[in-house]
Every structure is written in C-alpha cells, then in structure tokens.
Amino acid sequence: MTMKVNYGSHDALLVVDMQNDFCEGGALAVEGGAALVPGINAEIEAAQAAGALVVASRDWHPVDHVSFSHRGGPWPVHCVQDTEGAAFHPDLALPDDAIRVSKATAFDADAYSAFDGTGLGGYLKEKGIARVIVCGLALDVCVHATVLAASREGFTTLLLEELSAAVDPDAIEACHRDFEEAGIEVRA
C-alpha cells in the first residue's frame, strides 16, 4: 500500500487530523478514515528513514468552539481539547519526534488548514523544508485547505490521495480542480 514517495531531508510528511472523532465511531466520522492508518504508518516509516520531517496536525477545539452547531457553526461538537475524540487514532504510529500542530484552538476562530494561525509555514522554512507531502482527513475539508495553503506558502506540494478520504465524495472533483489550478501534484 506504500505510495513509494522518494523522501529526502528537505521534505515534510504532513498527516492531517487523523483523530478519533474523524474516524468511524467518532463525532464527525469520515467513512474509510481508520482504513488509512496502515498506509499512513508506512509513509511515516519511509519519511523517517529518509530523514524527512513528520508533522501531524489536529483539531484542538475549546469546549464551546465557534464551529459547533450550537454556536451557529456547521459541525457537531468534535475534537474538544483533552478528550478521547481529539486524540490521534490509537493505531497511528507517530514517532516521538513528530511535530504536533494544534489548530482552531481559539473560541472565536475556525481553522481548516494546518498552516492557519499555527506558524507552521515559517517553522518548515526555518528547517529547510522545500516539499510538503500531505495525507489524512478529510480530503474535502482540512486536507483541501492544508494542501492549498502549503502551495500558497511556496512549498512544492504533493497530495497522497489514496491516503486521504472525503466527507462528501461528490466534492472530490471540485477539490481536484482547485489542486490543478494551484499546480499541486496529486497521486491517486
């Protein structure tokens, strides 16, 4: 299942929101989410072996976050800080030295991209990263936003589509158009 990305020391593998609430049984489950874990683990192993940086983003919402439906947002309560739902999937093999990025941590602001308000872009540039390889959940929401933001930040960007799943499969075609317009490589 490994995508066989040829990783190097100027690459970062960015695993987006592989959290319990986004996998089957979670508050905002994406069908097929948990099934991505073995393939993502293989990518993490390959990236680490080549000296690439491994980064994992997560929604890390306060209890009463603006994105929650009871506050007028589009989503049910999910990924509340320090809850089981916000934890990374238990089978995700994140190395101890993986960079963990928490997003959407303010009560009054939502963030879909791992780059939104986190300082991640500047950090990766400091570390000499030139290419960002993205996978995770959900393809049509946070992965979409993260891929486009990585490209806007000036990184060569590669999406591992086989290791991403969408909330709404009907939205994938529109995502592909956005990626193509931005010059982002997509590996199916």
Side-chain angles (χ1 to χ4, degrees), residues 144-171:
H144 177 255
T146 297
V147 165
L148 294 175
S151 179
R152 277 194 306 274
E153 290 270 354
F155 298 105
T156 300
T157 308
L158 168 61
L159 169 65
L160 302 179
E161 186 172 12
E162 187 176 296
L163 298 178
S164 303
V167 174
D168 176 8
D170 292 338

Side-chain angles (χ1 to χ4, degrees), residues 18-97:
M18 286 302 299
Q19 294 166 271
N20 290 327
D21 268 348
F22 295 133
C23 292
E24 289 81 356
L28 195 49
V30 178
E31 190 176 327
L36 302 175
V37 173
I40 291 173
N41 285 344
E43 290 300 321
I44 290 171
E45 198 174 306
Q48 266 209 301
L53 201 61
V54 175
V55 180
S57 71
R58 64 183 180 179
D59 268 6
W60 196 246
H61 298 313
V63 170
D64 212 18
H65 191 251
V66 69
S67 74
F68 297 163
S69 54
H70 70 270
R71 293 223 29 224
W75 309 111
V77 173
H78 66 282
C79 296
V80 173
Q81 296 169 6
D82 296 315
T83 64
E84 187 58 32
F88 289 112
H89 189 282
D91 297 332
L92 187 67
L94 282 179
D96 290 340
D97 64 351

